[in-house]
Amino acid sequence: MTMSAENSIDNMPPVIPHWIGGEPVDSADGRTFPVADPVSNTPYSRAARGGAADVERAVAAARSAFPAWSSLGSRERADVLVRIADAVEARHERLASFESYDTGLPITQARGQARRAAENFRYFADVIVALGEEAFRQGDEQFSYVVREPVGVAGLITPWNTPFMLESWKLAPALASGCTLVLKPAEWTPLSASLWPEIFAEAGVPAGVVNIVHGIGEEAGQALVDHPDVPLISFTGSTDTGRHIIRAGAQHLKTTSMELGGKSPAVVFADADLEAALDSVVFGVFSLNGERCTAGSRVLVQRPVYEEFTRRLAERADAVRVGPPSDPATEVGALVHPEHYARVLNYVEIGRKEARLVAGGTRPTYLADGNYLQPTVFVDVERDARIFQEEIFGPVVAVAPFDDESEAVELANATQFGLAAYIWTSDLKRGHRIAHAVESGMVWINSHNVRDLRTPFGGVKASGVGREGGAHSIDFYTESKIVHVALGDVHTPRFGVAR
C-alpha cells in the first residue's frame, strides 16, 4: 500500500467554501487555493480564497446577528454551547481522521484533540452560567455594580497546528460571552474547519453568529485586522505576525490577545525523578510532531546527571515510532507543510554546526516520501546558538548543562520568549523558587503540560500579550461597565449658587 493510500480518507470535500450568514459561499472574486496533505504533498481539495470583500460580507452578517445573540440569557447561550459539544462528539472519528490527514498528526493524538474541543464548549457553558458580577457598597450612600457587555464582532485568527481544538479555544468563550464572530482558519490546514458549519447548524446556532472566511493570512487575515467594525482580535501564531497585528490594529485601538511563540525550558535537577522527567521531556517536545507552542524544546540538565540523561534521551528519541499519521502505532507523523519541513531541516543543518547531534537529524530510511523527520537531539548547546534561541517548531530539542540554581535560572531566561517552563526536582522549596524566578507565563513543577481550563493561558516577553482561559477569556470578550446608584440623598457641592 502506498503512503498516500494509507493516509486516504472518505468524504473529502472537493471545495471548502466560506460560511457566511449561515450559508456556504464562494469568494466574491471566485478565487480558490489548493490544499495538500503532508504525506503525499499533493492537493486533495481547494479552499475559497477570501479577501476584503468576503471579510466585509462576514462582518456585516456578524453585526446583523449581534443584537439577538447578545441579548440571550446566559443559560440560553450555554444550552447552545452544550449542543455544539454534543455535535462535535458525534463526529469524533470523522473529525480526528480529517485532522490527522490534513496536519500529519498521529491519529491517536488527533483523537485527543477532538475530545478536548468538545470539552472546551462544555466548560464555557458552565462558566457563563456560574459567573457572577462584582458589586460594591459605599456605606449607606451609594451602591455600585458591574455589568459585563459583549464587545461585539470578534475576529479570530487561528494556527495550523491542532487547528480544530485551538479554534474551539476561541470559539467557545467568544460565543459564551455573547459575541458574534468571524473566524479565519489557517490556510495550510482548513479541512477540519469544514465541519464547523454542519456542527453549528445542528446545534441551532443562529445564522450570522459564526462566520468563517478561508484564505491567505496576508489577504483575509489582514482584512479582518483592518476592519473598523471588528473591535477585538484573538490570534495564535508566530511572534512576528503577532507584532504586525498589534501594529495594524493600533489604528482602531483594537483589543488584542496574542498567544505567540515559545522556546520553553525544561529544567532537570540532579535530585529529580529522572525516569519521570525523561518521560515528560520526550513527550513534551516530540508529541504533536513537535509542532506545539509549549514544547519544552530547551532541556537544561544539572551536570551530575547530564551524561546519563542525554544518553537516555538520545536512546528514547531513536526509538520513537515515526510513521504514517493514520497508523495507530505512530508517535511522530509528517510535518505539516513542505515549507515548514524545509525550515525545520534548515535548523537541523544549523544545529550540526553549533552543537553535537546524538539522535535523529534525518528522514527515517523506511519513509521515502512525505515530510518526515526522526526526532532530533542536540547536546552541549551553547546559550547563543540559534537552535537554543529560536523557535524551531518541530521534533528537535537542544540540551545544555548547568551547575547550580542560579545558572539554571539564567539559562532558562536567556531567550526572548517566555511562554512555559517545566521544573524537575524533589526539593519543592527549590521548585517554587525556580518557578517564581523563571520568566514565563506558565510553569509546571514535576509535571508535563497538564492544562486546567480554569487557569490563565499565555506568555510574557515575545511569547504574547494578554491571557485567556476561564474567567480571563470572558474578561477578554466583554467590556465591564460600572453602574453607580445613590441610596440616599445626594449632597453635591452647589456651584453657581448665590451665597
Side-chain angles (χ1 to χ4, degrees), residues 103-167:
T103 66
L105 288 180
I107 185 63
T108 52
Q109 296 169 42
R111 290 188 180 115
Q113 301 306 310
R115 286 190 295 270
R116 290 180 67 188
E119 177 57 25
N120 283 327
F121 286 97
R122 295 197 191 283
Y123 172 75
F124 279 103
D126 293 339
V127 167
I128 199 62
V129 171
L131 191 65
E133 292 173 334
E134 296 176 293
F136 309 88
R137 181 169 177 166
Q138 297 86 47
D140 295 328
E141 298 178 357
Q142 197 167 55
F143 177 78
S144 306
Y145 62 93
V146 176
V147 176
R148 292 179 182 270
E149 297 180 343
V151 170
V153 178
L156 313 181
I157 304 176
T158 53
W160 48 257
N161 61 317
T162 63
F164 192 89
M165 190 274 291
L166 290 178
E167 288 158 7

Side-chain angles (χ1 to χ4, degrees), residues 71-386:
S71 66
L72 287 179
S74 58
R75 173 62 70 183
E76 294 173 283
R77 290 200 299 272
D79 289 344
V80 174
L81 265 65
V82 170
R83 293 198 296 269
I84 293 172
D86 291 342
V88 169
E89 289 182 337
R91 292 160 177 78
H92 173 74
E93 283 298 326
R94 185 177 173 210
L95 195 162
S97 65
F98 272 29
E99 197 81 317
S100 176
Y101 182 89
D102 202 24
T103 66
L105 288 180
I107 185 63
T108 52
Q109 296 169 42
R111 290 188 180 115
Q113 301 306 310
R115 286 190 295 270
R116 290 180 67 188
E119 177 57 25
N120 283 327
F121 286 97
R122 295 197 191 283
Y123 172 75
F124 279 103
D126 293 339
V127 167
I128 199 62
V129 171
L131 191 65
E133 292 173 334
E134 296 176 293
F136 309 88
R137 181 169 177 166
Q138 297 86 47
D140 295 328
E141 298 178 357
Q142 197 167 55
F143 177 78
S144 306
Y145 62 93
V146 176
V147 176
R148 292 179 182 270
E149 297 180 343
V151 170
V153 178
L156 313 181
I157 304 176
T158 53
W160 48 257
N161 61 317
T162 63
F164 192 89
M165 190 274 291
L166 290 178
E167 288 158 7
S168 75
W169 273 15
K170 300 180 187 297
L171 288 165
L175 292 173
S177 300
C179 291
T180 55
L181 58 95
V182 178
L183 168 67
K184 208 299 279 184
E187 55 262 38
W188 283 355
T189 55
L191 182 58
S192 61
S194 70
L195 296 176
W196 284 121
E198 64 183 61
I199 289 169
F200 293 135
E202 182 176 306
V205 178
V209 170
V210 177
N211 304 275
I212 302 173
V213 177
H214 295 281
I216 310 305
E218 292 82 355
E219 298 170 354
Q222 186 67 57
L224 188 58
V225 170
D226 290 341
H227 201 291
D229 294 328
V230 180
L232 176 152
I233 297 289
S234 177
F235 170 76
T236 299
S238 74
T239 296
D240 286 344
T241 303
R243 290 189 177 109
H244 174 79
I245 290 173
I246 291 173
R247 285 194 296 267
Q251 178 182 357
H252 299 293
L253 298 178
K254 293 182 187 284
T255 300
T256 59
S257 176
M258 301 281 118
E259 198 267 279
L260 307 176
K263 193 70 177 178
S264 300
V267 183
V268 181
F269 285 90
D271 65 347
D273 180 338
L274 293 188
E275 190 70 24
L278 186 64
D279 286 344
S280 177
V281 166
V282 172
F283 179 81
V285 72
F286 298 140
S287 63
L288 305 182
N289 298 346
E291 297 165 334
R292 59 189 305 162
C293 55
T294 55
S297 55
R298 290 184 299 136
V299 180
L300 311 177
V301 184
Q302 197 165 23
R303 204 173 295 274
V305 295
Y306 180 75
E307 292 300 327
E308 176 189 356
F309 194 89
T310 54
R311 173 182 56 79
R312 295 177 64 186
L313 176 57
E315 292 171 352
R316 289 282 294 273
D318 283 336
V320 169
R321 168 64 179 171
V322 181
S326 58
D327 185 347
T330 292
E331 295 171 319
V332 170
L335 300 190
V336 67
H337 190 276
E339 288 182 24
H340 182 63
Y341 183 52
R343 179 180 181 275
V344 174
L345 291 181
N346 183 57
Y347 272 109
V348 171
E349 292 309 306
I350 291 170
R352 291 178 188 274
K353 301 172 185 176
E354 294 182 325
R356 182 162 59 94
L357 177 67
V358 295
T362 59
R363 169 194 299 278
T365 57
Y366 54 87
L367 294 168
D369 301 309
N371 307 326
Y372 293 105
L373 176 64
Q374 186 68 35
T376 300
V377 180
F378 288 101
V379 301
D380 306 339
V381 183
E382 299 292 337
R383 61 182 291 163
D384 60 348
R386 289 184 62 185

